[in-house]
């Protein structure tokens, strides 16, 4: 079986379905970029699950899949809520128990560059509760040049992420140390009125109810990341002087399954600001209904840009780390930003 044989295409008919369009609108007004990317992330997670589950069920009818991670998603151009959105997905790579599902998001199928390219890592599982275990699955056959290229790109993304994790843990360079020192020294000024990172924290708490069930006793991951995104967006709106618009999902990790009855505590932090952009991290902690289990279930990193009415980038207030933990988050976000810029320059 080839990657081509796993392809799925779905359309969100915003141009003709006004009720659907309204579900995906940020505000009921005619403004550019008026699309709820949190809802779209939920839709993308569902299509990734469906395509991976179809593949697994060919070999194990009782198998299931869970989302393990969402890799870097960059929004290339703002979406137009009045135009249809096309989601074209296929499995790029199959490992021993995991798959990478690539999804291209378009509003113009003939465009050279997609609206956004998304990569979901899905893991095959079998069994329930303590008896659940990873499920080995057969590999794909990569025959065409594009299938081989996408396979190699998936392997490279995995390796790049591992290298990024190692690099993020490196101690500050001389230049980075000077950058952090300047941020701390600025806070000693009598006229300092910057944003302290420790005060830029928002929380939200939700109970996971039975109607959110996906696989037996587990909650749909797409719903959880939508709620995380929406909290991050609301916090960005509170701080940005104009209007935040989504530009990047830096990374989403699924660390533990979330069960019916769990209480989820969402914590959103502003960890970094560029000239016109702001990076927020969201940690999601689950507490079981019986209060016995408490653990980090998800980590999410989102980046927004402050724009005017014509979507021109505008300045944002600087955020200043104070504690060691805030320094660490700031530095990691700074390094990710530098890496993204280098990658974009290489691809130009």
């Amino acid at each position: 079986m080839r990657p081509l044989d796993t392809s799925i295409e779905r359309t969100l008919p915003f141009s003709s379905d006004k009720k659907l369009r309204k579900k995906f609108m940020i505000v009921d007004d005619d403004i550019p970029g008026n699309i709820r990317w949190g809802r779209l992330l939920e839709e993308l997670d569902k299509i990734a699950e469906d395509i991976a589950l179809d593949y697994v069920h060919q070999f194990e009818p009782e198998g299931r899949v869970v989302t393990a991670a969402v890799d870097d998603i960059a929004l290339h151009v703002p979406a137009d809520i009045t135009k249809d959105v096309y989601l074209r997905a296929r499995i790029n790579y199959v490992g021993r128990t995991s798959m990478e599902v690539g999804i291209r998001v378009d509003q113009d199928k003939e465009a050279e560059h997609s609206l956004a390219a998304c990569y979901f890592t899905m893991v095959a599982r079998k069994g329930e509760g303590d008896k659940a275990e990873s499920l080995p699955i057969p590999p794909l056959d990569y025959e065409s040049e594009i299938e081989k290229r996408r396979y190699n790109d998936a392997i490279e993304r995995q390796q790049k992420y591992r290298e990024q994790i190692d690099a993020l843990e490196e101690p500050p360079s001389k230049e980075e140390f000077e950058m952090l020192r300047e941020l701390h020294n600025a806070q000693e000024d009598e006229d300092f009125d910057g944003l302290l990172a420790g005060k830029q924290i928002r929380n939200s708490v939700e109970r996971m109810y039975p109607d959110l069930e996906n696989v037996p006793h587990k909650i749909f991951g797409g719903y959880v990341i939508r709620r995380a995104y929406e909290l991050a967006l609301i916090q960005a709106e509170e701080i940005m002087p104009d209007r935040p618009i989504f530009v990047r999902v830096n990374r989403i990790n699924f660390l533990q399954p979330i069960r019916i009855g769990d209480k989820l505590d969402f914590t959103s932090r502003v960890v970094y600001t560029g000239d016109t952009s702001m990076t927020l991290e969201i940690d999601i902690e689950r507490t079981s209904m019986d209060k016995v289990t408490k653990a980090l279930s998800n980590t999410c990193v989102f980046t927004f840009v402050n724009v005017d009415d014509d979507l021109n980038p505008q300045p944002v207030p600087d955020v200043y780390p104070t504690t060691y933990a805030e320094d660490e988050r700031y530095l990691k976000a700074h390094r990710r930003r530098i890496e993204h810029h280098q990658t974009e320059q290489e691809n130009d």
Side-chain angles (χ1 to χ4, degrees):
M1 191 172 180
R2 296 171 53 188
L4 179 65
D5 301 320
T6 70
S7 300
I8 290 179
E9 181 172 328
R10 290 180 184 166
T11 302
L12 298 174
F14 293 143
S15 64
S16 58
D17 191 334
K18 292 184 178 180
K19 288 185 177 180
L20 179 67
R21 186 193 311 169
K22 203 156 192 174
K23 289 181 180 179
F24 281 78
M25 294 171 67
I26 300 172
V27 294
D28 192 7
D29 198 0
D30 183 18
I31 61 172
N34 186 21
I35 190 166
R36 289 175 62 186
W37 267 91
R39 289 297 297 263
L40 198 51
L41 288 172
E42 189 174 16
E43 200 74 27
L44 292 168
D45 188 62
K46 182 58 178 172
I47 195 173
E49 178 190 62
D50 288 348
I51 197 172
L53 196 59
D54 285 347
Y55 185 72
V56 169
H57 280 175
Q58 295 185 53
F59 313 104
E60 177 49 71
E62 299 301 318
R64 56 189 177 85
V65 297
V66 295
T67 309
V70 182
D71 203 359
D72 181 50
I73 299 176
L75 180 60
H76 301 142
V77 294
D80 185 343
I81 193 63
T82 66
K83 295 182 179 179
D84 295 348
V85 170
Y86 307 103
L87 310 177
R88 291 180 281 181
R90 69 175 54 180
I91 299 175
N92 291 330
Y93 160 86
V94 174
R96 191 180 74 86
T97 63
S98 65
M99 296 155 277
E100 182 193 88
V101 177
I103 308 174
R104 177 171 171 139
V105 184
D106 287 296
Q107 291 197 295
D108 178 1
K109 288 186 176 181
E110 306 304 319
E112 180 180 354
H113 298 292
S114 62
L115 187 70
C118 317
Y119 303 99
F120 287 71
T121 299
M122 315 298 293
V123 176
R125 305 278 291 171
K126 186 178 181 181
E128 293 294 332
D130 295 337
K131 296 182 179 180
E133 59 184 3
S134 297
L135 174 65
I137 48 178
L140 290 166
D141 294 321
Y142 310 94
E143 297 182 9
S144 69
E145 288 303 314
I146 192 169
E147 288 173 341
K148 293 176 181 177
R149 177 173 61 79
R150 287 173 175 165
Y151 170 86
N152 290 326
D153 287 347
I155 297 294
E156 185 177 335
R157 270 188 290 274
Q158 292 180 8
Q159 180 62 31
K160 186 176 180 180
Y161 178 67
R162 287 191 289 267
E163 292 173 353
Q164 183 188 72
I165 292 299
D166 292 338
L168 291 178
E169 298 301 326
E170 288 290 322
S173 66
K174 181 179 179 181
E175 291 78 9
E176 291 170 340
F177 178 79
E178 289 296 328
M179 174 187 68
L180 293 172
R181 187 167 69 171
E182 288 181 11
L183 291 168
H184 282 265
N185 288 341
Q187 299 171 48
E188 302 299 323
D189 195 306
E190 291 182 0
D191 298 326
F192 175 75
D193 61 353
L195 299 177
L196 294 177
K199 294 184 177 181
Q200 311 311 313
I201 300 175
R202 297 292 180 273
N203 289 89
S204 176
V205 179
E206 285 194 37
R207 176 76 68 198
M208 296 295 102
Y209 294 104
D211 66 318
L212 298 172
E213 182 181 42
N214 189 23
V215 298
H217 311 298
K218 306 294 194 308
I219 300 302
F220 176 42
Y223 172 80
V224 175
I225 60 178
R226 170 164 72 88
R227 299 299 293 138
Y229 171 87
E230 289 171 348
L231 176 60
L233 177 60
I234 288 171
Q235 186 175 13
E237 288 174 347
E238 292 175 349
I239 299 171
M240 287 187 171
D242 299 283
R243 174 191 166 201
I245 190 166
F246 162 74
V247 292
R248 184 169 242 117
V249 173
N250 300 84
R251 181 76 178 186
I252 299 174
N253 289 315
F254 292 75
L255 307 175
Q256 279 204 354
I258 298 170
R259 302 176 184 277
I260 293 173
D262 282 355
K263 182 190 74 175
L264 297 190
D265 191 340
F266 297 77
T267 301
S268 177
R269 298 180 177 89
V270 178
V271 297
Y272 181 82
T273 51
D275 294 333
T276 61
S277 65
M278 181 176 292
T279 299
L280 297 96
E281 291 187 7
I282 295 85
D283 289 341
I284 306 173
E285 186 177 72
R286 63 171 286 260
T287 302
S288 60
M289 192 76 169
D290 58 12
K291 302 180 182 179
V292 171
T293 302
K294 189 173 185 177
L296 187 67
S297 64
N298 299 79
T299 60
C300 315
V301 184
F302 302 110
T303 298
F304 300 89
V305 167
N306 183 42
V307 298
D308 61 17
D309 292 341
D310 297 317
L311 300 186
N312 297 311
Q314 300 297 311
V316 297
D318 293 327
V319 66
Y320 292 83
T322 300
T323 67
Y324 176 80
E326 291 163 5
D327 282 349
E328 185 177 27
R329 294 189 190 102
Y330 188 99
L331 185 55
K332 288 180 178 180
H334 176 73
R335 288 174 173 175
R336 281 193 297 263
R337 181 171 182 259
I338 296 298
E339 183 180 348
H340 289 324
H341 285 175
Q342 291 175 344
T343 301
E344 289 171 354
Q345 289 175 358
E346 292 171 359
N347 293 335
D348 286 344

